[in-house]
Amino acid sequence: MDLKYMQRAIEIAKKGIGRTNPNPLVGAVIVKDGRIIAEGYHACYGSLHAERDAISKLKESAEGADMYVTLEPCCHYGKQPPCTLAIIENKIKNVYVGSSDPNELVAGKGIKQLRDAGINVVEHVMKEECDALNTVFFHYITKKMPYVVMKYAMTADGKIACDSGASKWVTGEIARNHVQETRNALAAIMVGVQTVINDNPSLTCRLENGNNPIRVICDSNLRIPLDSEIIKTAKDVITIIATVSQDKEKIDTIKSYGAEVVTVSENKDGKVDLLELMEKLGEMKIDSVLLEGGGTLNQSALKAGVVNHVQAYIAPKIFGGRGRYTPVTGDSVDVPDKAYMLRNTGIEMLGEDILIEYDIIYK
C-alpha cells in the first residue's frame, strides 16, 4: 500500500465538486507494478461512478492490480450498475478504501461482496481525509435533509453593514471569490425576501464554468418584487419561493415567471417553518443549502435547529454605530450558558480577511 495513490484519488475526486449532488465525490486510481494504469472520478450526477470511470480508461489488463478508492464501492443498481461487479470482473487483486458508505443500500455490503469474491480489501485508508470530501453526502444520506451552511461577512466589531444599510463591500475580493466557490459546491442558496427587496441580488455563481445553485427565497407573505433579478431570471436558474401564503393569485403569478412555489406551515412567529422546509427540500434531492440572508433568517435557522456549519468571514474594519446590522438578530439567549455552541474546524487567511469555520453543537 502506498498512500500517495489514495492522495491522488482524493485530488481527482474534487474535480466533481458542484456537479455530483446529491451523490458523493469519489476518486479511484488503479495501480499495477508501481504504475498508475488508469484513474477516474464521479464527474456529475448520473455519470459513471469513479471505479467504472477508471476501468473504462484502462489500456491494459487490470488483473492483479490494486485499486485505491475514496469511498466504499457500491453494490446495487441505481443510475449505474454496481462498481463491485466491475472490480470483480477485471480481477483486481487489492482494493484500498477510504470512507465507509453510510447509504443503507451499501453500508458494508460492498466490502463484503468484494471479499466474498476473494479480493483483499483494506478499509479506512486516509479515512479522515476521505471523509472530509463528503460531509454533505454523509449528512444528507443519513438525515434525508440538506446540510446547511450559515455564511456571513462582518467587520472586526461584528457589523455586517453600516447603520445606513450599505454593505458593499465588507470583505475583500479574495474572500468574495471564496464565497463563489462555496456557491459552486453547494446545491442551493437561501435568503429571505427582505434581502431580495433591499439588495436585488442574482444569487448565481460567478466562477468561470461555475454551477449556479438552486435559489430558495423565504417569502412568508409573497412580497417578492416581480421586477427583481430573482423573478426575471427564474426561467434560467431554478428558483423556489417558500411561503406560508395561500394567495392563489399571487402564487399563480409567480409561477408564470418560471419559479416554483413551495407552501409550508407557519412557525410560532408566523413565518416559514424552516425545519419543514428543509424536509421538503430533502425530498426534492437538494442535499445542501448555503444561507446568505441577513440576521433575521440566520436567527430563525438557528432556532429551528437546521444549521450544521458556520462560515464567518471577518474583515479588518470597524464600522461602529448602533449595531443595527449584525449576523444574528432578534432576541438573544437569556444567559451565556444557553448560547448556541460551536466547534472550531478551521481558520484561513484570505488576503487581509480571516475565515473562521465552525460546526454547530446541538445539545
Side-chain angles (χ1 to χ4, degrees), residues 2-20:
D2 192 330
L3 296 183
K4 71 181 180 184
Y5 299 124
M6 185 61 84
Q7 184 59 52
R8 176 59 184 167
I10 291 170
E11 290 172 5
I12 61 176
K14 294 176 182 178
K15 293 182 178 182
I17 287 176
R19 291 174 169 78
T20 65

Side-chain angles (χ1 to χ4, degrees), residues 39-344:
E39 59 183 31
Y41 68 101
H42 186 36
C44 62
Y45 180 66
S47 69
L48 287 176
H49 290 182
E51 301 93 322
R52 285 186 175 271
D53 185 43
I55 287 169
S56 73
K57 295 171 181 174
L58 284 168
K59 303 296 185 186
E60 60 184 275
S61 170
E63 184 173 356
D66 300 333
M67 174 179 280
Y68 292 78
V69 60
T70 58
L71 182 68
E72 178 181 357
C74 68
C75 54
H76 64 96
Y77 285 87
K79 288 186 175 294
Q80 296 292 334
C83 291
T84 50
L85 295 184
I87 293 169
I88 293 166
E89 288 166 1
N90 282 271
K91 300 180 180 179
I92 290 172
K93 182 179 181 181
N94 301 294
V95 177
Y96 300 98
V97 177
S99 300
S100 302
D101 191 338
N103 185 343
E104 60 186 15
L105 296 175
V106 185
K109 300 181 184 73
I111 300 295
K112 183 179 185 302
Q113 192 174 101
L114 293 176
R115 285 175 172 158
D116 287 348
I119 295 172
N120 176 51
V121 180
V122 178
E123 298 181 73
H124 310 313
V125 179
M126 297 184 68
K127 174 177 167 56
E128 185 176 345
E129 294 88 342
C130 290
D131 284 355
L133 287 169
N134 287 306
T135 303
V136 167
F137 172 72
F138 293 154
H139 174 85
Y140 175 72
I141 205 69
T142 56
K143 305 295 185 182
K144 311 301 182 188
M145 288 173 57
Y147 182 84
V148 178
V149 176
M150 185 173 81
K151 164 263 168 183
Y152 52 83
M154 68 181 187
T155 60
D157 60 333
K159 310 300 193 311
I160 62 173
C162 302
D163 281 349
S164 66
S167 61
K168 293 184 178 179
W169 294 105
V170 173
T171 54
E173 186 175 352
I174 294 174
R176 298 199 300 273
N177 284 341
H178 190 275
V179 173
Q180 297 303 314
E181 292 174 7
T182 305
R183 286 188 181 185
N184 178 63
L186 301 184
I189 184 170
M190 179 184 291
V191 301
V193 70
Q194 196 61 48
T195 295
V196 177
I197 293 170
N198 292 346
D199 301 338
N200 194 25
S202 61
L203 302 180
T204 52
C205 178
R206 292 188 284 276
L207 295 179
E208 185 176 356
N209 299 317
N211 185 57
N212 285 329
I214 295 168
R215 303 179 302 193
V216 182
I217 313 300
C218 291
D219 185 4
S220 299
N221 300 308
L222 295 180
R223 297 188 295 129
I224 190 166
L226 297 179
D227 62 350
S228 65
E229 286 299 313
I230 297 295
I231 293 298
K232 288 194 297 185
T233 59
K235 284 186 170 66
D236 303 315
V237 181
I238 298 173
T239 302
I240 298 170
I241 309 298
T243 186
V244 302
S245 174
Q246 301 289 335
D247 189 322
K248 187 176 184 304
E249 184 177 348
K250 284 185 178 180
I251 291 172
D252 288 345
T253 299
I254 290 171
K255 285 182 174 179
S256 73
Y257 283 83
E260 183 173 349
V261 177
V262 174
T263 303
V264 297
S265 304
E266 294 183 14
N267 62 18
K268 65 180 182 180
D269 298 320
K271 297 178 180 178
V272 168
D273 185 314
L274 291 179
L275 180 58
E276 182 181 325
L277 175 59
M278 292 303 166
E279 290 170 349
K280 290 195 174 188
L281 295 181
E283 291 169 0
M284 297 166 70
K285 295 190 176 181
I286 295 175
D287 68 356
S288 48
V289 172
L290 176 63
L291 286 184
E292 269 206 44
T296 301
L297 181 61
N298 289 344
Q299 168 80 334
S300 296
L302 287 168
K303 288 175 67 176
V306 299
V307 180
N308 302 105
H309 191 73
V310 176
Q311 290 183 331
Y313 295 83
I314 305 174
K317 301 174 182 177
I318 293 176
F319 285 172
R322 296 180 297 278
R324 179 181 171 191
Y325 294 99
T326 59
V328 180
T329 57
D331 296 333
S332 74
V333 296
D334 298 329
V335 293
D337 285 349
K338 293 184 179 180
Y340 297 98
M341 299 303 296
L342 310 175
R343 179 187 298 111
N344 180 263

